[in-house]
Amino acid sequence: MPPVLLHTVLLIVAYLLGTIPFGVIFARLFGVADVRKSGSGNIGAANVARVAGPTPGILTLLADAGKGALGVWLAIHYTQSTADWMILCGIAALLGHCYPIWLGFHGGKGVATALGVFAMLCPWAAAAALTVFILVVATWRFVSLGSISAAAAMPLLIYFLWAPGHAPPLSIVFGTLFASALVIYKHDANMQRLIEGTEPRFSHEKSKAQPS
């Protein structure tokens, strides 16, 4: 297959992987007809856990992360681990999750999918970002604040943890900046509520009305 065609196919497949609405699927399997009409209306793991329970929430988290990781794996497998195509396929999967064609381009906020992408690109950076998320949520009990903090930290984490003594390629640097900015942008409403003091704190209890 000609390289241009191969790369185009990889980007399309990565995007389509990202569009799989696992939150909608798992919530439905656990008794919620349409998670988009419950809680915040978001299809991500946090809202699924809130309205359908922890098990479908965890399944959604793992599946959403998995599709991001699989998008990068495709580039690793078919382009000899070319950094440019690894980050591009990862971003394609992330865009698919945030803007899925099947749901009218109204998708999730990309946190779990981005985690899967960066777990493949740089496991140490992904682990550090996950640690930031856990510490922030444990301290302030705002899932959105943990997500925003982890996304904001990722460009620096990638830069310093990419490889000992080596900075990442420019494509990885700018791709990470784009992915982080997208995740933060998707949390615009959460940031507004954090400023206003109306953002709900993390709770193990199900809820039908809390925003996320």
Side-chain angles (χ1 to χ4, degrees), residues 91 94-95 98-99 109 114 118 147-148 150-155 173-188 191:
I91 288 174
L94 180 60
L95 287 171
C98 294
Y99 303 102
K109 298 178 182 179
F118 290 108
S147 301
I148 293 166
M154 184 57 80
V173 172
F174 288 110
T176 302
L177 286 170
F178 176 83
S180 297
L182 177 60
V183 171
I184 293 171
Y185 168 75
K186 294 289 287 184
H187 284 81
D188 177 68
M191 289 188 286

Side-chain angles (χ1 to χ4, degrees), residues 8-9 11 23 37 42 53 57 66 81 91 103 107 117-118 122-123 128-129 134 149 158 161-162 176 183 208 211:
T8 301
V9 170
L11 291 175
K37 297 179 180 179
N42 190 265
S81 301
I91 288 174
L103 301 180
V117 168
F118 290 108
C122 183
I134 292 172
S149 300
I158 282 284
L161 298 176
W162 178 257
T176 302
V183 171
K208 297 294 183 182

Side-chain angles (χ1 to χ4, degrees), residues 60-163:
T60 300
L61 174 67
L62 294 175
D64 283 348
K67 65 189 183 183
L70 185 56
V72 178
W73 179 87
L74 289 173
I76 293 173
H77 186 73
Y78 290 103
T79 69
Q80 288 82 47
S81 301
T82 303
D84 294 359
W85 290 105
M86 288 166 63
I87 188 65
L88 284 173
C89 285
I91 288 174
L94 180 60
L95 287 171
H97 177 77
C98 294
Y99 303 102
I101 189 172
W102 322 116
L103 301 180
F105 300 102
H106 297 293
K109 298 178 182 179
V111 178
T113 303
L115 178 63
V117 168
F118 290 108
M120 293 295 288
L121 289 171
C122 183
W124 286 111
L130 182 59
T131 301
V132 170
F133 171 84
I134 292 172
L135 289 175
V136 170
V137 175
T139 302
W140 289 284
R141 294 197 298 119
F142 290 118
V143 173
S144 59
L145 183 60
S147 301
I148 293 166
S149 300
M154 184 57 80
L156 282 176
L157 294 173
I158 282 284
Y159 189 84
F160 288 110
L161 298 176
W162 178 257

Side-chain angles (χ1 to χ4, degrees), residues 38-64:
S38 301
S40 68
N42 190 265
I43 66 170
N47 192 48
V48 173
R50 181 176 294 118
V51 303
T55 298
I58 292 171
L59 291 173
T60 300
L61 174 67
L62 294 175
D64 283 348

Side-chain angles (χ1 to χ4, degrees), residues 10-35:
L10 287 175
L11 291 175
I12 292 173
V13 171
Y15 170 81
L16 291 176
L17 280 172
T19 65
I20 301 173
F22 285 113
V24 175
I25 294 169
F26 287 126
R28 186 169 298 171
L29 290 174
F30 281 79
V32 177
D34 190 346
V35 71

